[in-house]
PDB file of all heavy atoms in Angstrom:
ATOM      1  N   GLU Y 275     152.389 -25.486-180.552  1.00 96.00           N
ATOM      2  CA  GLU Y 275     152.248 -25.716-181.993  1.00 96.00           C
ATOM      3  C   GLU Y 275     152.882 -24.625-182.846  1.00 96.00           C
ATOM      4  O   GLU Y 275     152.952 -24.753-184.069  1.00 96.00           O
ATOM      5  CB  GLU Y 275     150.770 -25.899-182.346  1.00 96.00           C
ATOM      6  CG  GLU Y 275     150.155 -27.087-181.598  1.00 96.00           C
ATOM      7  CD  GLU Y 275     148.739 -27.402-182.033  1.00 96.00           C
ATOM      8  OE1 GLU Y 275     148.474 -27.337-183.241  1.00 96.00           O
ATOM      9  OE2 GLU Y 275     147.903 -27.688-181.160  1.00 96.00           O
ATOM     10  N   GLY Y 276     153.344 -23.556-182.199  1.00 93.00           N
ATOM     11  CA  GLY Y 276     154.204 -22.608-182.877  1.00 93.00           C
ATOM     12  C   GLY Y 276     153.543 -21.586-183.772  1.00 93.00           C
ATOM     13  O   GLY Y 276     154.217 -20.962-184.589  1.00 93.00           O
ATOM     14  N   PHE Y 277     152.226 -21.370-183.656  1.00 93.00           N
ATOM     15  CA  PHE Y 277     151.617 -20.307-184.468  1.00 93.00           C
ATOM     16  C   PHE Y 277     151.023 -19.234-183.564  1.00 93.00           C
ATOM     17  O   PHE Y 277     150.562 -19.503-182.457  1.00 93.00           O
ATOM     18  CB  PHE Y 277     150.567 -20.852-185.439  1.00 93.00           C
ATOM     19  CG  PHE Y 277     149.368 -21.526-184.806  1.00 93.00           C
ATOM     20  CD1 PHE Y 277     148.282 -20.787-184.359  1.00 93.00           C
ATOM     21  CD2 PHE Y 277     149.314 -22.908-184.682  1.00 93.00           C
ATOM     22  CE1 PHE Y 277     147.167 -21.404-183.798  1.00 93.00           C
ATOM     23  CE2 PHE Y 277     148.208 -23.536-184.123  1.00 93.00           C
ATOM     24  CZ  PHE Y 277     147.139 -22.784-183.684  1.00 93.00           C
ATOM     25  N   GLU Y 278     151.062 -18.002-184.070  1.00 89.00           N
ATOM     26  CA  GLU Y 278     150.544 -16.864-183.316  1.00 89.00           C
ATOM     27  C   GLU Y 278     149.022 -16.916-183.284  1.00 89.00           C
ATOM     28  O   GLU Y 278     148.374 -17.264-184.271  1.00 89.00           O
ATOM     29  CB  GLU Y 278     150.994 -15.554-183.955  1.00 89.00           C
ATOM     30  CG  GLU Y 278     152.488 -15.295-183.862  1.00 89.00           C
ATOM     31  CD  GLU Y 278     152.933 -14.971-182.450  1.00 89.00           C
ATOM     32  OE1 GLU Y 278     152.101 -14.456-181.664  1.00 89.00           O
ATOM     33  OE2 GLU Y 278     154.104 -15.246-182.129  1.00 89.00           O
ATOM     34  N   ASN Y 279     148.450 -16.560-182.141  1.00 93.00           N
ATOM     35  CA  ASN Y 279     146.999 -16.492-182.024  1.00 93.00           C
ATOM     36  C   ASN Y 279     146.688 -15.608-180.827  1.00 93.00           C
ATOM     37  O   ASN Y 279     146.496 -16.099-179.730  1.00 93.00           O
ATOM     38  CB  ASN Y 279     146.411 -17.901-181.855  1.00 93.00           C
ATOM     39  CG  ASN Y 279     144.932 -17.950-182.172  1.00 93.00           C
ATOM     40  OD1 ASN Y 279     144.101 -18.054-181.286  1.00 93.00           O
ATOM     41  ND2 ASN Y 279     144.600 -17.887-183.450  1.00 93.00           N
ATOM     42  N   HIS Y 280     146.653 -14.301-181.065  1.00 95.00           N
ATOM     43  CA  HIS Y 280     146.515 -13.372-179.954  1.00 95.00           C
ATOM     44  C   HIS Y 280     145.054 -13.236-179.521  1.00 95.00           C
ATOM     45  O   HIS Y 280     144.157 -13.843-180.109  1.00 95.00           O
ATOM     46  CB  HIS Y 280     147.109 -12.011-180.317  1.00 95.00           C
ATOM     47  CG  HIS Y 280     146.318 -11.243-181.322  1.00 95.00           C
ATOM     48  ND1 HIS Y 280     146.421 -11.439-182.679  1.00 95.00           N
ATOM     49  CD2 HIS Y 280     145.394 -10.248-181.167  1.00 95.00           C
ATOM     50  CE1 HIS Y 280     145.614 -10.613-183.313  1.00 95.00           C
ATOM     51  NE2 HIS Y 280     144.978  -9.875-182.419  1.00 95.00           N
ATOM     52  N   LEU Y 281     144.825 -12.424-178.516  1.00 96.00           N
ATOM     53  CA  LEU Y 281     143.490 -12.242-177.935  1.00 96.00           C
ATOM     54  C   LEU Y 281     142.942 -10.860-178.270  1.00 96.00           C
ATOM     55  O   LEU Y 281     143.679  -9.881-178.318  1.00 96.00           O
ATOM     56  CB  LEU Y 281     143.533 -12.401-176.420  1.00 96.00           C
ATOM     57  CG  LEU Y 281     143.989 -13.757-175.891  1.00 96.00           C
ATOM     58  CD1 LEU Y 281     144.159 -13.693-174.386  1.00 96.00           C
ATOM     59  CD2 LEU Y 281     142.999 -14.843-176.270  1.00 96.00           C
ATOM     60  N   GLU Y 282     141.651 -10.810-178.492  1.00 97.00           N
ATOM     61  CA  GLU Y 282     140.930  -9.548-178.671  1.00 97.00           C
ATOM     62  C   GLU Y 282     139.698  -9.581-177.773  1.00 97.00           C
ATOM     63  O   GLU Y 282     138.975 -10.577-177.732  1.00 97.00           O
ATOM     64  CB  GLU Y 282     140.501  -9.352-180.126  1.00 97.00           C
ATOM     65  CG  GLU Y 282     141.641  -9.143-181.102  1.00 97.00           C
ATOM     66  CD  GLU Y 282     142.211  -7.735-181.052  1.00 97.00           C
ATOM     67  OE1 GLU Y 282     141.554  -6.837-180.471  1.00 97.00           O
ATOM     68  OE2 GLU Y 282     143.312  -7.546-181.601  1.00 97.00           O
ATOM     69  N   SER Y 283     139.467  -8.492-177.058  1.00 96.00           N
ATOM     70  CA  SER Y 283     138.313  -8.408-176.170  1.00 96.00           C
ATOM     71  C   SER Y 283     137.063  -8.016-176.950  1.00 96.00           C
ATOM     72  O   SER Y 283     137.090  -7.104-177.783  1.00 96.00           O
ATOM     73  CB  SER Y 283     138.587  -7.386-175.066  1.00 96.00           C
ATOM     74  OG  SER Y 283     137.471  -7.279-174.201  1.00 96.00           O
ATOM     75  N   SER Y 284     135.970  -8.687-176.681  1.00 97.00           N
ATOM     76  CA  SER Y 284     134.709  -8.378-177.347  1.00 97.00           C
ATOM     77  C   SER Y 284     134.209  -7.005-176.909  1.00 97.00           C
ATOM     78  O   SER Y 284     134.041  -6.751-175.715  1.00 97.00           O
ATOM     79  CB  SER Y 284     133.669  -9.442-176.993  1.00 97.00           C
ATOM     80  OG  SER Y 284     132.415  -9.114-177.531  1.00 97.00           O
ATOM     81  N   PRO Y 285     133.979  -6.086-177.841  1.00 94.00           N
ATOM     82  CA  PRO Y 285     133.539  -4.741-177.452  1.00 94.00           C
ATOM     83  C   PRO Y 285     132.106  -4.749-176.918  1.00 94.00           C
ATOM     84  O   PRO Y 285     131.214  -5.327-177.527  1.00 94.00           O
ATOM     85  CB  PRO Y 285     133.644  -3.946-178.756  1.00 94.00           C
ATOM     86  CG  PRO Y 285     133.513  -4.964-179.841  1.00 94.00           C
ATOM     87  CD  PRO Y 285     134.128  -6.225-179.304  1.00 94.00           C
ATOM     88  N   SER Y 286     131.907  -4.099-175.798  1.00 91.00           N
ATOM     89  CA  SER Y 286     130.582  -4.087-175.182  1.00 91.00           C
ATOM     90  C   SER Y 286     129.630  -3.116-175.863  1.00 91.00           C
ATOM     91  O   SER Y 286     128.412  -3.215-175.693  1.00 91.00           O
ATOM     92  CB  SER Y 286     130.698  -3.746-173.693  1.00 91.00           C
ATOM     93  OG  SER Y 286     131.285  -2.458-173.536  1.00 91.00           O
TER      94      SER Y 286
END
Side-chain angles (χ1 to χ4, degrees):
E275 301 186 40
F277 62 84
E278 293 289 333
N279 198 254
H280 71 277
L281 299 172
E282 293 283 345
S283 179
S284 175
S286 60

